[in-house]
Amino acid sequence: MKICFITLGDIKSIATMKRALGMANPLQALGWDVSIIALDSEENRSRISIECNENVQVHYYKDCSAKEEVAIKTRLVNQICPDFIYFCSFSFRNRIIKSKLKHKPKILIEHSELASSIPDNKGPKKIALRLLEYYSVYYADGLLCASRYLEREYHKMARQLMKKRLPILYSPYAFNNDVIDAARILQQELNERYKNNTVLLYMGTMTRNYGLFTMLQAVEQVTKQKPDIKLLLLGRGRHLEEAKTYVQQHGLEPYVEFKGYTPENELSSYFDRADAFISPLNDTVQDWARCPSKIYMYIPFRKPIFTSKIGEPKEIFGDDGHYFNTNQPDTLSKLIAALADGRLQKTDVNIDEHSWDQRAVDFTNWISAQYAVRFAAAGSEVFS
């Protein structure tokens, strides 16, 4: 049984390729023949070479116009002839021309956010994105939703479009075992540098909307009593320079470090050294709908995760999570103080439930049930 993941852009700026990379090897172990279509970029090639074995067929395309990209992807699908096409995201340029296909594969589309709900998307753009969300329901033979909110939203859209029986699978992001097993190339250096610190780590986009200034204000509050705190910020974003100015103006240089984009092979060292992770979420449709993939990367390191009691964190941790309100920095500073004092209660999570291996099993079982495909053993399948 062949599956072809169709991805969009460079993974440094568009992270939706993560599912293709995470599930490729586990799906092969379950009997799938896996292909990936990806933009030819240095980071994509690096990540694919690290996470995918040599049996995964990768087809690269050069950066080009949207029209050319759609045509190239259509030609590649005709060349691969997969039984299932899996769009890791769906957009005006990440699609194919169905009328030009030489065969009729099942088309699966993943949704990891509700783009029409993002505040920056206004007016005609918001309308166009909402129409695209509905069009994906019409276009697809099945959907995968990375959050419970999206699962409910797309079931509603399917009913409105008279596609009540459209198969929809709830499938959040997950972690890759390779991240846990990766060599800690910076471990000794980080352990020495932060040997006297309580280290907090945030990895993501540096924007106000993602809680950047909530974290800075919380650190500012707590360091008056806990001067050993160190906040490491990994990533880039449009409010990065503004945040650096805030740190300078408020004398937070001893407590906050901006690390910028961090290569994948260094992440395990930072995760291992961190005493806690921060993943801010706002009580908005945008954050209820999106799947915070970083949380799943943090889970296997068994450290406290400071986040918000909405959306996917609530699904994962229930009432036992370490939650704060992004509009009230003091709620985060209290968690940080409790961590520094050793007063924080441990949250137990079954990490095996959140691996890409498990997601691949769940996906394969769903495919078997919905599309009458039975995987008898690795490398074989039968239709029933």
Side-chain angles (χ1 to χ4, degrees):
M1 189 59 55
K2 292 183 178 181
I3 186 169
C4 176
F5 290 95
I6 302 183
T7 69
L8 177 68
D10 191 306
I11 195 170
K12 283 199 298 187
S13 54
I14 303 176
T16 52
M17 190 189 297
K18 287 181 179 179
R19 187 180 296 270
L21 303 189
M23 287 178 58
N25 290 349
L27 284 176
Q28 277 203 329
L30 293 170
W32 288 88
D33 184 341
V34 181
S35 298
I36 298 174
I37 295 176
L39 176 69
D40 192 354
S41 72
E42 181 179 353
E43 187 66 17
N44 284 355
R45 283 186 175 270
S46 174
R47 290 287 294 276
I48 289 171
S49 67
I50 292 171
E51 297 193 43
C52 299
N53 65 46
E54 64 278 3
N55 294 318
V56 175
Q57 301 298 310
V58 185
H59 303 263
Y60 291 104
Y61 64 91
K62 298 294 184 182
D63 191 19
C64 56
S65 70
K67 183 178 180 179
E68 291 172 321
E69 185 169 331
V70 171
I72 291 169
K73 288 175 175 177
T74 303
R75 288 199 299 270
L76 286 172
V77 167
N78 277 327
Q79 176 184 327
I80 298 165
C81 292
D83 301 288
F84 290 88
I85 296 172
Y86 189 116
F87 287 96
C88 290
S89 62
F90 192 63
S91 69
F92 297 106
R93 68 188 303 145
N94 198 41
R95 57 188 178 88
I96 57 173
I97 305 171
K98 293 171 72 173
S99 62
K100 292 189 176 182
L101 293 183
K102 297 177 181 178
H103 65 305
K104 293 185 178 180
K106 296 294 185 183
I107 293 179
L108 309 175
I109 295 175
E110 176 184 337
H111 291 286
S112 57
E113 65 177 5
L114 199 65
S116 63
S117 72
I118 297 174
D120 288 347
N121 295 330
K122 301 175 182 178
K125 184 176 182 181
K126 180 183 181 71
I127 295 171
L129 289 169
R130 190 59 174 163
L131 290 173
L132 184 66
E133 289 160 359
Y134 271 95
Y135 182 60
S136 74
V137 176
Y138 169 79
Y139 187 91
D141 298 299
L143 300 177
L144 285 89
C145 293
S147 73
R148 286 293 186 191
Y149 186 98
L150 289 171
E151 181 189 26
R152 293 190 294 269
E153 183 72 10
Y154 277 95
H155 270 301
K156 183 173 71 175
M157 292 187 206
R159 289 193 299 269
Q160 292 170 342
L161 293 177
M162 306 299 290
K163 292 187 71 173
K164 295 180 181 179
R165 295 186 179 181
L166 179 70
I168 299 178
L169 175 66
Y170 166 61
S171 183
Y173 283 117
F175 71 86
N176 194 322
N177 286 309
D178 292 341
V179 175
I180 305 174
D181 301 333
R184 273 49 166 179
I185 60 176
L186 296 179
Q187 185 166 28
Q188 185 175 349
E189 176 185 339
L190 296 179
N191 286 344
E192 179 63 27
R193 184 187 306 172
Y194 304 117
K195 62 182 178 182
N196 298 319
N197 295 116
T198 298
V199 176
L200 309 164
L201 187 144
Y202 167 82
M203 180 176 66
T205 307
M206 300 294 156
T207 66
R208 284 185 175 276
N209 194 43
Y210 282 5
L212 176 57
F213 288 89
T214 299
M215 291 185 285
L216 297 179
Q217 291 164 15
V219 168
E220 184 177 7
Q221 292 175 8
V222 79
T223 51
K224 296 172 183 177
Q225 292 80 35
K226 307 293 179 185
D228 67 326
I229 296 298
K230 186 75 73 170
L231 172 63
L232 306 184
L233 299 170
L234 281 60
R236 299 175 294 201
R238 66 180 184 274
H239 295 140
L240 177 59
E241 294 307 316
E242 188 178 342
K244 289 181 177 179
T245 299
Y246 183 96
V247 167
Q248 293 172 353
Q249 291 177 343
H250 292 256
L252 297 178
E253 291 97 331
Y255 314 110
V256 180
E257 292 185 13
F258 296 93
K259 311 304 291 188
Y261 174 76
T262 305
E264 188 79 7
N265 62 352
E266 295 181 2
L267 291 180
S268 59
S269 299
Y270 279 100
F271 291 176
D272 196 71
R273 177 57 192 88
D275 295 295
F277 303 103
I278 306 179
S279 181
L281 291 171
N282 301 306
D283 191 6
T284 61
V285 172
Q286 179 186 359
D287 281 2
W288 276 92
R290 73 184 179 93
C291 181
S293 61
K294 306 298 190 300
I295 286 182
Y296 294 95
M297 297 174 69
Y298 302 151
I299 283 175
F301 287 85
R302 301 181 184 276
K303 310 286 182 68
I305 300 172
F306 300 158
T307 185
S308 305
K309 195 177 183 179
I310 67 166
E312 290 311 291
K314 188 177 178 181
E315 292 287 334
I316 301 168
F317 304 116
D319 294 328
D320 299 325
H322 302 301
Y323 299 125
F324 68 96
N325 187 327
T326 53
N327 294 318
Q328 300 173 11
D330 64 298
T331 59
L332 177 56
S333 65
K334 289 176 181 176
L335 287 174
I336 297 172
L339 173 71
D341 288 340
R343 295 183 285 108
L344 210 63
Q345 296 294 318
K346 183 178 180 181
T347 300
D348 289 322
V349 177
N350 183 350
I351 67 172
D352 292 335
E353 294 180 359
H354 302 292
S355 68
W356 284 121
D357 295 68
Q358 185 59 50
R359 299 286 187 261
V361 169
D362 295 341
F363 173 77
T364 301
N365 289 338
W366 178 71
I367 290 291
S368 299
Q370 297 295 334
Y371 302 100
V373 178
R374 180 164 59 85
F375 287 76
S380 65
E381 67 280 327
V382 290
F383 290 87
S384 57

